[in-house]
Structure formats: structure tokens, C-alpha cells
């Protein structure tokens, strides 16, 4: 007879086949998944999380006091497939002693690449040009037709020189950018030195940049940061790109700036709300490109990511998951006779959309001694907030 499962994990969205296959093999973990690519309704989320020991959620899932009360005392770990955590009621979560895992590093490269793609697409007016080809607007070569803006010898301003901001700047350097400016809560001299970036105020960054890239976190201080005053300070030839959060930008003010020619163009990877309604004014503008938020990759270099962190230490303590920085894994089930483990990743949600790989880990599984073996594992790089 199959032993009873010790823990329940609720997953709020359909996950890739690799993740489903790994979770399905769990010996001591009952996994329930919202089998849809669309966001789970709040009532279904409350039902699914009731009695769960773990919750794997997305940025679109609001984890507030009401949901935590519905979950009950069993809930020990929340893992979010996101860099941002503004959808989590952290104070309420912390009061209940619930551990929180998020993925601050694993999407850095993918997000930076998307930011550069969005910037190039916008400044070179590619969507407009493609549409002209389709509708017959392309008749012959015209010296002044569909001219865009180049990065060579330009000034790029980055709002928020964190991991993603730095990665964007590194990718833009080979394009011949002459000057990097950055703004934020405080100077970051060590990070800025490698980029030869200059710390300036928000008004100075807006006024002097040919390209403005917003990569900051959403906080009370940054909400609505890019507003009418901000856009009025920008050059009329400047291009604006937002890859942070939709609420950092006042979209009504952005629309007016674009429609009036106050700024040249904008590329948005995030909006408020998401998805943006099809009748939204921003969608009527030729000089505004909007990308559905998403920075996912099917492949990544697992060894480089895992090797950058500390050695993963994993514990299964009866029905409670306890994880150590920087990675959080839950090992469910072991077979020493075949030296194969069924490894379950819970607090590293990004692993669920990555492929299996062999790694060496030191594992402590309930009832067994420490052993170092090669594991077939879904990797994770989730960092614990608390």
C-alpha cells in the first residue's frame, strides 16, 4: 500500500511538462495544480490553498491576509515565480512565520535581453516599418522615411542600477553608448565603476538621456515616478522603455507625452492593468510598442547558476519544509539501493520551467545519513526573503 502523503503543495498555474513530471513522482507530496494558463480566480485560489503546506504562485496572484487565513496554520512556505514581491502581504506572512522564496537572479539575463530587444525595436521603429511593408506603404527608398534613433554616441539613463539595470547596461556598451547615467535611492559606486556610469538625480537623468530605461522596484517612492513632469523634462527625441512595473508609470501622462510629440517613442514590457484592455489609448499610438510581460527561457546554464551560490542543503522535517540560503529544495523520497533520489523542488519555482540536469548536492533526507551523490534534479535558485 502506498504510504500517505505528508505535505500538500498548491500550484496556481499550469507549469511546463518537466515540472509536472518531477512533481508527479513525489512520494510524500500531494500536488494540486490550477490547470490553466490563465490566472486562477480568487475563490479557486482560496479553495486550493486551504490546508496546503506550500504555495507556488505567480506575480498575478495576490497573497493577502484573507488568503492566508483561508490557507490555515499548515502553510509554511510560499514560493513566487517572480523577482518582485509586491503581490505578497509580507508583514502578514512574516507574522505567521511563513518562509518566502523568490527568484531575484535567475531572470536577470532574460529580462536584460528583452529590454535591449524592446529598446532596439522601439528606437528603430520596427513595428511601424513591418506594418508599412504589409499595407503597401513601402514604395521605394526614401532618405527621410522611417528614420529612427541610434545608440552610437548616445546617453543612456537607467532608473534603478540593480542586477537587471547593470545587465542591460553591459549589453548596451558594445553598441557604442557614450555615457551611462543612473538614478536610485543611493549611489552604487562599485557597480557603477565597471560601467563608468554616473549617479545623477531623476530630473537630470530625464533631461540628459537619449534613452531612458526604467528597471527599478515598485515601492511607495517609485509609484507614479514617471509622470507628466518627468516626461516634460525628457528630450523630444528621447525613447522611453519600462521593464519594471506598470505602476511606476502614469500611463495617462505617458499617452499625452507620446501623442503630443513630447517624447519620440516608448516601449513597454509592463502595464497597468495586465493585460492592457484592447481599447486602451496607448494601443492606438504608432510610437508605442507594448510587449506582453514575460521573460521566460526554456534553456539556461544550470551549472553556472548553481555554482555561483552556496552548496544546497536540504531538509525534510516531518510535514514542515525548512530551507537554507541561497537555494531552497525539498527532497521527497530516496532509494539508496539504486542511488537515485526523487528530488522535489518547491521553493525554487523557476526550476519548474527548466530542464533536468545532473548535479552534485549534499542532501539530508529524513531517516538517512548525509551522502553526496549525483542527482537528477530540477534546479532552483530561489532566495529566501525570510
Amino acid at each position: 500500500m502506498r504510504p500517505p502523503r505528508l505535505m500538500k503543495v498548491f500550484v496556481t498555474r499550469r507549469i511546463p511538462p518537466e515540472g509536472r513530471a518531477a512533481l508527479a513522482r513525489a512520494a510524500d507530496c500531494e500536488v494540486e495544480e490550477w490547470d490553466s494558463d490563465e490566472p486562477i480566480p480568487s475563490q479557486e485560489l482560496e479553495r486550493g490553498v486551504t490546508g496546503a503546506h506550500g504555495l507556488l504562485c505567480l506575480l498575478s496572484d495576490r497573497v493577502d491576509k484573507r488568503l492566508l487565513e483561508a490557507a490555515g496554520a499548515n502553510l509554511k512556505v510560499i514560493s513566487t515565480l517572480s523577482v518582485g514581491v509586491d503581490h505578497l502581504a509580507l508583514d502578514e506572512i512574516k507574522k505567521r512565520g511563513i518562509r518566502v522564496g523568490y527568484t531575484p537572479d535567475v531572470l536577470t539575463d532574460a529580462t536584460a535581453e528583452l529590454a535591449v530587444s524592446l529598446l532596439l525595436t522601439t528606437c528603430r521603429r520596427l513595428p511601424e516599418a513591418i506594418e508599412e511593408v504589409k499595407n503597401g506603404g513601402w514604395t521605394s527608398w526614401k532618405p527621410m522615411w522611417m528614420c529612427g534613433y541610434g545608440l552610437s554616441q548616445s546617453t543612456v539613463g537607467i532608473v534603478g542600477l540593480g542586477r537587471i539595470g547593470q545587465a542591460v547596461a553591459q549589453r548596451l556598451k558594445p553598441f557604442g553608448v557614450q555615457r551611462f547615467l543612473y538614478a536610485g535611492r543611493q549611489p552604487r559606486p562599485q557597480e557603477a565603476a565597471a560601467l563608468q556610469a554616473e549617479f545623477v538625480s531623476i530630473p537630470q537623468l530625464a533631461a540628459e538621456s537619449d534613452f531612458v530605461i526604467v528597471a527599478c522596484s515598485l515601492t511607495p517612492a517609485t509609484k507614479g515616478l514617471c509622470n507628466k513632469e518627468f516626461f516634460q523634462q525628457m528630450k523630444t527625441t528621447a525613447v522611453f522603455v519600462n521593464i519594471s512595473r506598470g505602476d511606476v508609470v502614469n500611463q495617462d501622462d505617458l499617452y499625452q507625452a507620446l501623442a503630443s510629440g513630447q517624447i519620440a517613442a516608448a516601449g513597454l514590457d509592463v502595464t497597468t492593468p495586465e493585460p492592457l484592455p484592447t481599447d486602451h489609448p496607448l494601443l492606438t499610438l504608432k510610437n508605442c510598442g507594448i510587449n506582453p510581460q514575460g521573460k521566460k527561457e526554456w534553456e539556461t546554464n544550470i551549472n553556472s547558476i548553481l555554482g555561483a551560490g552556496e552548496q544546497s542543503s536540504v531538509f525534510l522535517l516531518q510535514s514542515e519544509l525548512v530551507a537554507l540560503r541561497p537555494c531552497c529544495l525539498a527532497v521527497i523520497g530516496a532509494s539508496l539501493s539504486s542511488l537515485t533520489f526523487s528530488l522535489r523542488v518547491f521553493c525554487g519555482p523557476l526550476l519548474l520551467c527548466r530542464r533536468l540536469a545532473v548535479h552534485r548536492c549534499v542532501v539530508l533526507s529524513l531517516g538517512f545519513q548525509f551522502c553526496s551523490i549525483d542527482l537528477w534534479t530540477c534546479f532552483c535558485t530561489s532566495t529566501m526573503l525570510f
Side-chain angles (χ1 to χ4, degrees), residues 251-305:
Q251 290 179 170
D252 292 337
D253 292 347
L254 175 60
Y255 172 80
Q256 293 299 328
L258 290 167
S260 66
Q262 179 63 53
I263 63 175
L268 308 177
D269 181 49
V270 287
T271 61
T272 302
E274 292 179 354
L276 203 62
T278 56
D279 60 351
H280 195 281
L282 283 173
L283 296 176
T284 67
L285 300 173
K286 290 184 178 181
N287 58 343
C288 183
I290 300 177
N291 178 65
Q293 184 185 11
K295 311 170 183 71
K296 300 179 287 294
E297 291 177 330
W298 285 105
E299 301 285 356
T300 193
N301 191 326
I302 297 173
N303 287 320
S304 65
I305 295 176

Side-chain angles (χ1 to χ4, degrees), residues 61-132:
D61 303 317
R62 180 66 57 183
V63 181
D64 53 17
K65 182 177 180 180
R66 177 175 174 174
L67 185 67
L68 295 171
E69 290 175 348
N74 279 350
L75 188 61
K76 301 300 180 184
V77 178
I78 296 173
S79 186
T80 178
L81 178 58
S82 65
V83 177
V85 292
D86 45 281
H87 59 303
L88 305 179
L90 295 180
D91 290 340
E92 290 292 334
I93 292 170
K94 193 170 185 178
K95 282 194 297 186
R96 290 165 168 77
I98 299 170
R99 303 295 299 277
V100 175
Y102 73 128
T103 54
D105 296 308
V106 289
L107 290 176
T108 298
D109 289 338
T111 305
E113 290 170 9
L114 188 143
V116 173
S117 300
L118 193 58
L119 187 150
L120 292 172
T121 298
T122 304
C123 74
R124 289 299 182 178
R125 303 173 65 181
L126 294 186
E128 292 179 72
I130 292 170
E131 188 60 32
E132 289 296 302

Side-chain angles (χ1 to χ4, degrees), residues 102-103 105-107 109 300-314 324-330 343 345 347-352 354-363 373-383:
Y102 73 128
T103 54
D105 296 308
V106 289
L107 290 176
D109 289 338
T300 193
N301 191 326
I302 297 173
N303 287 320
S304 65
I305 295 176
L306 284 182
E310 303 170 359
Q311 187 179 43
S312 298
S313 296
V314 186
L324 302 180
R325 292 187 179 93
C327 297
C328 179
L329 308 175
L343 180 64
V345 184
C347 278
L350 191 59
L351 68 98
L352 296 176
R354 307 296 174 156
R355 300 187 185 278
L356 297 179
V358 178
H359 293 287
R360 297 189 66 84
C361 297
V362 174
V363 180
I373 66 170
D374 284 333
L375 299 176
W376 279 100
T377 168
C378 287
F379 84 96
C380 84
T381 57
S382 177
T383 299

Side-chain angles (χ1 to χ4, degrees), residues 8 49-50 73 132 141 149 166 184 245 280 293 301 342 380:
K8 173 185 174 183
V49 79
T50 300
E132 289 296 302
W141 184 80
Y149 303 92
Q166 293 170 53
R245 289 289 181 268
H280 195 281
Q293 184 185 11
N301 191 326
S342 176
C380 84

